[in-house]
Amino acid sequence: PNISIKRMMDDAAKGLYVKALLSYTPSYEQQIDRSKNYNAYYYPVTADTTQHIKVNTISDQSNTASVIERFQQTYTELSMGYDHAFGTDKLSALLMGRYDNTQGDNTLNQVYKVLSGRLNYSFNNRFNVEAAAAYNSNNRFAPGNRFGFYPWVVASLNIHNEEFFEG
């Protein structure tokens, strides 16, 4: 089941929002055996058609069950964003925190913690600049290597919006 809520905060600033997401996914796989043996015979190839060998006998039906896999995941996300247009210019910003805890069978939980942000500016629907960064962690790495910072910046041109491209 997933629960998500988004609240527009236009009374504070037009285009501002807060969003929260919670997801819990349990999984349980069970194997059930309801097998039963039956009489089976082997007839060797001989001239005597009455000769046979019994290779299996009837048995009661078994009813056994066993758990063969368990899995659960808890995922939470909290974000705050801003999307606004100023004529032909657009500004978009996002700050997000995520927590993802996954466990399968008898293994150690795998926990991801992420704090990330993104800023995007579009000028005249032609030039775009975007910058983002993430600070991630994973509990399965050695204590000195669990956290990492990953920044990036990109610029682009929407050439299809250029005047020379229209003609």
Side-chain angles (χ1 to χ4, degrees):
N2 296 332
I3 299 171
S4 178
I5 187 168
K6 183 177 181 179
R7 167 87 163 99
M8 297 304 297
M9 307 290 289
D10 287 336
D11 49 333
K14 187 164 178 57
L16 184 66
Y17 64 90
V18 176
K19 184 178 175 182
L21 171 75
L22 173 63
S23 174
Y24 177 69
T25 308
S27 174
Y28 179 86
E29 189 174 338
Q30 183 178 22
Q31 182 174 345
I32 298 174
D33 179 11
R34 292 192 172 114
S35 60
K36 181 176 181 176
N37 289 331
Y38 54 92
N39 285 334
Y41 300 92
Y42 168 69
Y43 292 91
V45 179
T46 63
D48 182 7
T49 58
T50 62
Q51 183 183 8
H52 64 275
I53 302 169
K54 190 173 192 179
V55 294
N56 203 12
T57 58
I58 289 179
S59 69
D60 291 334
Q61 179 174 328
S62 66
N63 287 303
T64 60
S66 60
V67 175
I68 59 173
E69 185 177 19
R70 292 181 191 178
F71 171 84
Q72 71 178 19
Q73 179 182 26
T74 304
Y75 178 84
T76 56
E77 181 179 294
L78 181 61
S79 60
M80 178 179 236
Y82 179 74
D83 291 312
H84 193 70
F86 306 93
T88 58
D89 297 351
K90 295 177 185 170
L91 177 64
S92 174
L94 177 69
L95 180 63
M96 178 188 303
R98 295 184 334 195
Y99 176 83
D100 187 358
N101 184 347
T102 305
Q103 183 178 15
D105 291 328
N106 295 321
T107 61
L108 175 69
N109 287 22
Q110 182 150 354
V111 179
Y112 293 100
K113 296 176 190 173
V114 178
L115 179 62
S116 60
R118 177 184 49 81
L119 183 64
N120 178 284
Y121 184 75
S122 175
F123 175 73
N124 200 19
N125 201 19
R126 291 173 42 216
F127 303 103
N128 300 297
V129 177
E130 186 166 327
Y135 188 63
N136 298 348
S137 75
N138 184 314
N139 69 315
R140 292 213 179 160
F141 293 132
N145 296 315
R146 287 189 181 166
F147 295 91
F149 180 67
Y150 306 94
W152 64 272
V153 176
V154 66
S156 65
L157 171 66
N158 288 334
I159 195 168
H160 71 278
N161 290 335
E162 293 297 323
E163 292 176 15
F164 67 84
F165 201 72
E166 293 178 9

